[in-house]
Amino acid sequence: MKKYNSLHKIRNIGIVAHIDAGKTTTTERILYYTGKVHKVGEVHEGAAVMDWMEQEKERGITITSAATTCDWKGHRINIIDTPGHVDFTAEVERTLRVLDGAVVIFCGVGGVEPQSETVWRQADHYHIPRLTFVNKLDRVGADFYEVIEAMEKRFKLVSLPLQIPIGKEENFRGVVDLVKMKALIWKGHDLEAKIVEEEIPFYLKEKAYHWHNYLMEKIAENNEECLEKFLNEEALGIERMKEEIRSMTMTHKVVPVLCGSSLKNKGVRLLLDAIIDYLPSPLDILPAQGVNPLNEQKEERESSLEGPFSSLAFKVVTDPYVGRLTYFRVYSGKIKAGSFVYNSTKNQKERIARILEMHANYRTERKEIFAGEIGAAIGPKNIDTGDSLCEEKSPIIFEAIKFVEPVISVAIEPKTKLDENKLSICLSKLAQEDPTFKIRQDPETGQTIISGMGQLHLEVVLHRIQREFKVGVNIGEPRVAYREAIREKVQARGQYIRQSGGRGQYGDVYLEIEPKKNQEENFVDKTRGAPIPKEFIPAIKKGIKEAMSIGILAGYPLIDVKVSLLDGSYHPVDSSEFAFRTAASIAFKKGVRQASPYLLEPVMKIEVTTPETFIGEVMGDITSRRGRVYDMDTKEKICYIDAYIPLAELFNYATRLRSLTQGRGIPNVEFSHYEEVPAGIAEGIVGKEGKNA
């Protein structure tokens, strides 16, 4: 493949959407039209190149984000195809962290679905310019204009249609290009269908001119020179229009909208043109922000081939053939195979033995990777997701990637004694790959507890353990990841004083413990006059952190708690880090018991799609599960119910919903927030799992 040193010719984009909106199908067509593959793999046949894992082929869904690189009209496009299921939202999070632009795909029938909202919020968080593609317009019930209306309503955005469809549902045959003001008609239905430029059909002219004038108004609002020409009814020119649309897209003033049907090979080549025309190159984005670890000063890294090497590791995977693979995005400079990099996050040097350019699970050897590119490294043993890599003489630490905490847990154990060591190794590897997959030992039962984002997430992990790592396991019942919190502000003293024949132990702390507000720090040192030497403060913080990880009601972690160190005392000989850590833990536990502790449970946001015939049964079932319906809509005899339901009430919900709706009800579940457990239920949980200290 041609090597690109010209940064303005590179596009780093993600394909994101709700599950089943057509992300992978669109990516497969992109790979075909750019010459990356010579045969299109279909998702429903389990043959998609980008869905390479066995479970992805079997389930027909994307589980892990897959990277690839292709060429289109003299530009290099680095693409990451992401999962749509909410259980794998961490894949989307870390992908968006390192990309410059995104294509958000909406189903022409389903419109703005729950996971569409989640990925949109994630893209907002990273300020990523995006364009949208309304897919599946050949399907019964598809409505391009209704999807635009839903986007504007849900996301409060200014949509900018660049195309409108010609024909509806099975008669969808082309689009009106609102920039050129020409009809583009597909002649044929196969991959080689030609796009023929024609005059706009007479019955669409009024609508086309309406949307073209809307487009020109937005361009005029963006630029005074364009406004003058618009008012004088002067032609602007296609290239100038594209420049202004690109400018508005990158400054988040508008979101361009395109349309098509990826499965029927319609609109994908025009989407590729739009990616080149309207999404940013590495030169168009703001410099990467970070902190110099030597002086704690903020620094920037411009996208430049000449600057010092800097990059962010955004994904780690275990490859059965090459071992540990670290995916990274280069922000500045370049890195050569065989060279050393400095992991500024961990203050370690690592050797990059080989560098690969990835195409799903296929790989091409590269001698070096440049600024603006995405690659994978073989060799590093201690680089984790979110670590910053750079030159040792020009260190920088970029902002780490933040992930949502897991909400569901199961106990896991090896089937045989021989599998015990293998299980420990494979769980460790899986946790390195997936930041939302957590492992811990229950201190009382000794059980290994694994936690994830949902039942599907844990199912996939368990299948990988059995298939990839060949480890037999038994699992327990799913457990809810409850949390504990407090209502009141209290003060408490903790002392750890031990005298023996030799050196004793002395630690004395006085803490104030209170509910934490949003942006407050978890720990504040309010001591005056140094009653405790500064070297013991980290030990006090550690003791509090350890105590917070095991609550006093039922052993669940405490959240939203602020602790202030008010006072204390020390002994010049007997005081130690251990003594102060223990004293802090004693004081914290004592204070929490007096602060009216209570139990919190994860509450899930659920959207149920069901034929309206079954609405009574579905609503009754939601109510019986302590659910609260907050929105309901009916469209063409299909009812969409939005509700909040505690996770504890949702196990096996999908099976029950299928039973109630004769297999036609579809649930979509994602984590929403934590909420106090009702008193009667909390008593049962505390009685069953209480570990009163």
Side-chain angles (χ1 to χ4, degrees), residues 153-168:
K153 180 183 173 185
R154 295 282 187 100
F155 304 136
K156 305 294 186 285
L157 56 82
V158 177
S159 63
L160 192 69
L162 304 182
Q163 304 166 348
I164 59 172
I166 300 173
K168 197 171 182 182

Side-chain angles (χ1 to χ4, degrees), residues 89-97 122 125-126 401-402:
T89 190
E91 289 289 317
V92 184
E93 187 77 31
R94 59 181 168 190
T95 295
L96 290 175
R97 173 65 178 82
Q122 289 171 310
H125 177 72
Y126 293 114
I401 309 169
K402 294 182 176 67

Side-chain angles (χ1 to χ4, degrees), residues 475-511:
I475 60 166
E477 285 294 307
R479 295 180 59 193
V480 177
Y482 292 102
R483 295 289 185 265
E484 297 180 20
I486 58 172
R487 288 192 177 87
E488 298 175 11
K489 180 194 285 191
V490 297
Q491 294 179 355
R493 182 176 293 279
Q495 294 180 318
Y496 184 73
I497 303 170
R498 296 287 184 274
Q499 294 298 329
S500 61
R503 182 179 170 180
Q505 294 283 358
Y506 186 96
D508 172 29
V509 298
Y510 189 58
L511 305 178

Side-chain angles (χ1 to χ4, degrees), residues 85-314:
H85 197 285
V86 68
D87 280 18
F88 309 107
T89 190
E91 289 289 317
V92 184
E93 187 77 31
R94 59 181 168 190
T95 295
L96 290 175
R97 173 65 178 82
V98 297
L99 293 177
D100 305 330
V103 175
V104 186
I105 298 180
F106 295 97
C107 172
V109 182
V112 179
E113 297 168 283
Q115 189 64 5
S116 310
E117 295 185 55
T118 303
V119 298
W120 198 272
R121 285 197 306 270
Q122 289 171 310
D124 278 343
H125 177 72
Y126 293 114
H127 308 292
I128 291 180
R130 67 214 80 152
L131 55 84
T132 59
F133 182 71
V134 182
N135 192 23
K136 302 188 179 184
L137 287 183
D138 60 311
R139 298 268 293 272
V140 175
D143 191 322
F144 175 71
Y145 303 101
E146 198 171 273
V147 175
I148 289 178
E149 192 178 315
M151 284 165 49
E152 291 179 337
K153 180 183 173 185
R154 295 282 187 100
F155 304 136
K156 305 294 186 285
L157 56 82
V158 177
S159 63
L160 192 69
L162 304 182
Q163 304 166 348
I164 59 172
I166 300 173
K168 197 171 182 182
E169 297 175 352
E170 70 270 16
N171 296 317
F172 173 60
R173 61 193 184 90
V175 298
V176 174
D177 185 326
L178 297 171
V179 177
K180 292 181 178 178
M181 284 304 283
K182 291 286 184 182
L184 305 176
I185 310 295
W186 285 279
K187 299 294 185 182
H189 295 288
D190 62 8
L191 287 158
E192 307 305 328
K194 293 207 166 21
I195 303 173
V196 179
E197 193 174 285
E198 298 179 358
E199 291 304 311
I200 299 168
F202 71 93
Y203 62 87
L204 263 180
K205 279 195 173 180
E206 186 179 338
K207 185 174 275 188
Y209 276 102
H210 164 76
W211 285 107
H212 176 73
N213 286 334
Y214 173 76
L215 172 61
M216 295 305 296
E217 284 171 14
K218 291 300 173 192
I219 290 173
E221 288 172 13
N222 190 55
N223 184 288
E224 285 188 18
E225 185 188 333
C226 295
L227 175 61
E228 195 175 319
K229 289 194 173 187
F230 178 70
L231 293 173
N232 294 329
E233 297 185 359
E234 295 178 36
L236 200 57
I238 290 171
E239 289 309 312
R240 182 58 190 277
M241 288 175 69
K242 286 183 176 180
E243 283 176 22
E244 294 303 321
I245 295 167
R246 178 181 176 83
S247 166
M248 289 188 289
T249 303
M250 291 193 292
T251 53
H252 305 278
K253 292 178 181 175
V254 299
V255 178
V257 186
L258 296 94
C259 59
S261 169
S262 297
L263 187 63
K264 297 297 173 64
N265 316 304
K266 295 176 180 177
V268 177
R269 284 168 282 185
L270 301 178
L271 174 62
L272 276 164
D273 289 340
I275 289 168
I276 300 302
D277 289 338
Y278 307 123
L279 288 182
S281 74
L283 292 175
D284 298 315
I285 61 169
L286 292 171
Q289 308 277 333
V291 173
N292 186 325
L294 300 179
N295 56 24
E296 299 298 320
Q297 297 296 310
K298 288 184 179 178
E299 289 190 6
E300 294 181 344
R301 289 289 187 271
E302 298 270 357
S303 289
S304 163
L305 300 173
E306 285 73 41
F309 169 71
S310 67
S311 72
L312 184 76
F314 66 94

